[in-house]
Amino acid sequence: MALAASGCAGDPPKTDPILQPAATTRVGPLPVNANAVVPQTALGPTGAGSTDAVAVVSDTYIVRPVAAQGAFAVRRRSDNTLVLTHRTTRGLETTFADLAGDLFVVADDNVNTNGGTDHPSVIYIYDLRTKRRTTLADVTGAPRQGQGQFATLTDDGRLYYVSVTAKKKNTFQYCVGMADLRTMRGSTVECANEANNPVFVAPGEDGATWTVRSYEAICDTGRGIRGGRIIPIGPADCATVGTGTVRGWSVWAATLGAGGRNHGVTAHATDGTTLVDLGEVTGISFTTCGDYVYWSAGPGQPQIRRWSPGMTEIEVAYDFEVREKAVFGADPDDRGIVLAGCADNLMTLATWTRNQDRSLTTRFVVVPSRRG
C-alpha cells in the first residue's frame, strides 16, 4: 500500500511549494477491457450482511465479520486458527479495519455525527502477537480522531486519519492526523484553513491522499504525500473530489463544475508529463493497492475497475453481473461491490446482495495487486 516514509518517525511531511508541471502529452480516454483476466480468490463462507462491508486479507491474516453481528474475527491464513475477536463498541459501527504486519487497526464510529466534541468514535490498535489492545488516544502526540472510516494504514505501520479539534462553540478544525504505530508517536500532517471544512483521507502509495472541502468557496482540492512531502493532486480549479497516487503518478476524479455543482465525474492521472484520461466514473473514491488504483464504476455498472501506469486500457477487476448473475434481484440497488481493504498488495473486495426477504448476503474476494 505504501512505501517507507522519509525523515524521522512522527515528523509531519513538508509542503512542496512546486506545483505539478503541466502535462504536455494527453492520452485517452482509455478503453475498458471487460474481459481482462484478473486472478482472484473467493473467501468462504459468506459473511454478515452489510452494504459497507469491512474486511481485509494480508499474507498472514484474514479479517472479516463473523455470523453474529457486531464482531470481527482475525484468523491465521495458514491454518485458519482464530487469533482474536474484536467486538464492536456498543452503540457504534465498525467502519474501518486494516492490517500492517502483526498490527490490526479497527475503527468503531458513531456514523450519525460529524466529528464534534461529543463524538464517541474510537480507533483500536491490536498487537496480534501479544493480544494487547491500545487506542489511538494512547499514541503520544496523535491528534484527536474524527470519523474512522476516512483512514488508511500503510504496510509499514503509519495510520493516516481525519482528526478534529474544537476551537470555539460549534466551531471545529479538521486535519489529517498521522500515528506511527511502530514508535507510538503521532503528528498533524495538514489542516483545513477554514473552520468546519472537512477533509477526506484516502490511500496513497507514499502514505495517504486527501481532499479538502471549502464550503465558503464551494471548492474541493486534492492533496497527498510523495517522498515525505505534501503535493497537490488534481488541478487547482476546485473540482477535485477523489484522490490517489500509484507508482509515481497522481490520480484524481473531478466534477464538471467546482464543488460538484454540475453532474458528471471524470478520472485522470498524470506523472507531470503525460495526462491520461481514465474516462467517466460514477464512484469518486480511489483505493491504491500495490501497483494499481481501484475504483467503483457505480450502481449503474456494478464493477470494480483498476488501472496501473503504463497500461493502455482499464481492467475490470470484478463484474458483479457476470460473476454473480444468478443471485441478485431485478432492482440494480439490490447488489453492489465495496473496496473493503488492502494489505500486502492484496485487494479485498466485498460483494453484497439484498435477498427477497430484504436480508443481506456478503461475499469476499481477494485480488492480487502486483504487476508482472
Side-chain angles (χ1 to χ4, degrees), residues 270-293:
T270 188
D271 62 352
T273 301
T274 301
L275 177 67
V276 176
D277 183 353
L278 299 177
E280 187 171 350
V281 297
T282 319
I284 60 173
S285 296
F286 295 109
T287 293
T288 302
C289 190
D291 292 328
Y292 295 87
V293 60

Side-chain angles (χ1 to χ4, degrees), residues 231-308:
I231 62 168
I233 297 178
D237 62 358
C238 293
T240 300
V241 291
T243 54
T245 51
V246 60
R247 299 184 70 183
W249 285 61
S250 297
V251 185
W252 68 93
T255 64
L256 298 180
R261 290 175 293 182
N262 298 324
H263 294 291
V265 179
T266 56
H268 310 269
T270 188
D271 62 352
T273 301
T274 301
L275 177 67
V276 176
D277 183 353
L278 299 177
E280 187 171 350
V281 297
T282 319
I284 60 173
S285 296
F286 295 109
T287 293
T288 302
C289 190
D291 292 328
Y292 295 87
V293 60
Y294 290 78
W295 67 92
S296 171
Q301 294 178 302
Q303 297 176 343
I304 296 295
R305 296 175 179 176
R306 72 178 188 177
W307 177 82
S308 180

